[in-house]
Amino acid sequence: MISSIFFSIFSIILILSTLFSLACKNMIYSILWAMISFLMVAGFYVLLNANYNTAVQLIIYVAVIPTLLAISIMFVANEKPKKEKIKPSKIFAFIGIIFFTLIIVKYYSLNTDFFQIAHICQGYHNTYSSLI
């Protein structure tokens, strides 16, 4: 039960941070939102007890890749983006997509046993390792 709650929280934050990362005009803010997305993926690995994958996700995707992106942006981009007004219809459409996504994630996370999925994946791993 607790794992499904954490799965729901991680899913909602992952979807929202990914959408914010795509919607940001400023690249630095977009990188920060992408880092939050990568952290939530690491949270999924924690729920699966995949410690090595969690460490690799944190070291490479949360630390190294955003640093390289920020450095490359500092070297390449030298003009400031123009401010544009966002129409209210875009805001309402964005909010509607977020709520629709949240409803879908909540429905599937309550109807899915997360440990059952992990057990199936572990069974595939044991089958593969016995073949080697």
Side-chain angles (χ1 to χ4, degrees), residues 15 17 19 24 37 48 52 55-56 58 81 89 93 95 113 120 129-130:
I15 291 170
S17 62
L19 289 174
C24 280
S37 298
L48 287 171
Y52 179 76
V56 169
L58 289 174
S89 61
I95 292 172
D113 187 16
I120 292 170
S129 62
S130 65

Side-chain angles (χ1 to χ4, degrees), residues 31-79:
I31 291 172
L32 291 174
W33 284 112
M35 287 175 63
I36 294 172
S37 298
F38 296 147
L39 279 172
M40 293 304 111
V41 172
F44 289 135
Y45 289 140
V46 168
L47 288 176
L48 287 171
N49 291 327
N51 297 330
Y52 179 76
N53 291 345
T54 303
V56 169
Q57 180 78 17
L58 289 174
I59 291 170
I60 294 176
Y61 286 103
V62 177
V64 176
I65 300 293
T67 304
L68 290 174
L69 288 173
I71 290 172
S72 64
I73 288 171
M74 285 190 290
F75 282 128
V76 174
N78 57 4
E79 66 181 49

